[in-house]
Amino acid sequence: MPHSYPNVILAGYLAGAQDYLPIAAQIRAQGKEALVVPLQWWEWLPTVGGRSIAPILVKLDATVKQAKQQFGTERVNIIAHSAGGWIARIYLGDQPYYGQVWQGRSHVAQLVCLGTPQRSLEPWTVKNLGFVNDTYPEAFYDDVDYVCVAGNAVTGAKNWLNLSQWLAYSSYELTIGTGQASGDGITPITAAHLQGATNLTIDGVYHSPRSGTWYGTPAVLSQWAAYLK
């Protein structure tokens, strides 16, 4: 039996696997196994506008099963960034989503969500996120360990002199109805946490790898990776 579960890393919305290869490398450097779901950014295009995210679930399922076979384990951890977190919550589930039941919880020991908007008021996410939160509210499954990580880097404000604050205000308002909140510049802290999960908030962490310090920055990764099963 291996020392730890292998880790399957799922990209955020409209992101490809390339941005997450450094995370996999850092996890391997800790003596743990890691695979990145092999997505290209354009593979998200069929899901745009609130359509089914089944194409992403197919790739996630294949990578989970590959990891189980490759590393000889019964279960894996999923590390999911941004929208990948709530997509993984669909994968865990035992109810039909667009006619298919994924039953991923039988394969998954732990779900680690990084900057995931677990709830949102955005019109193009309401259908899918509504399904998630109506069917599998909060940290739904007792046999899956949920870890939700939020960044605390930007307080939203209508400040024309500070673009990051203005963009954060707009994003937070779309997500929770008010822009006067704190978060990673995209996801407010209150939307990133789930009741019943291990909820972490890390100061100075931005949503995207192009923003500087983010969830995959080594000093940040070491904080949430300490919780990997």
Side-chain angles (χ1 to χ4, degrees), residues 27-136:
I27 289 173
R28 291 191 199 104
Q30 297 179 0
K32 303 168 184 175
E33 303 293 352
L35 294 177
V36 181
V37 178
L39 285 168
Q40 303 291 341
W41 74 266
W42 58 82
E43 292 182 85
W44 292 90
L45 294 179
T47 75
V48 168
R51 286 174 284 184
S52 168
I53 48 81
I56 309 304
L57 291 166
V58 169
K59 298 294 286 279
L60 174 60
D61 183 57
T63 309
V64 166
K65 290 174 179 174
Q66 176 191 343
K68 286 177 61 179
Q69 181 176 19
Q70 182 173 335
F71 302 116
T73 64
E74 290 299 314
R75 303 175 86 185
V76 306
N77 301 326
I78 294 177
I79 300 168
H81 178 229
S82 196
W86 61 256
I87 290 170
R89 289 168 63 200
I90 295 177
Y91 177 67
L92 296 177
D94 56 5
Q95 298 301 310
Y97 173 78
Y98 283 89
Q100 184 155 1
V101 177
W102 294 95
Q103 301 260 30
R105 64 186 280 225
S106 63
H107 309 301
V108 178
Q110 183 178 57
L111 171 60
V112 179
C113 297
L114 307 174
T116 294
Q118 306 287 5
R119 53 197 64 84
S120 179
L121 301 175
E122 293 175 309
W124 49 90
T125 63
V126 163
K127 185 175 181 181
N128 283 316
L129 261 173
F131 172 83
V132 176
N133 289 317
D134 289 344
T135 313
Y136 315 112

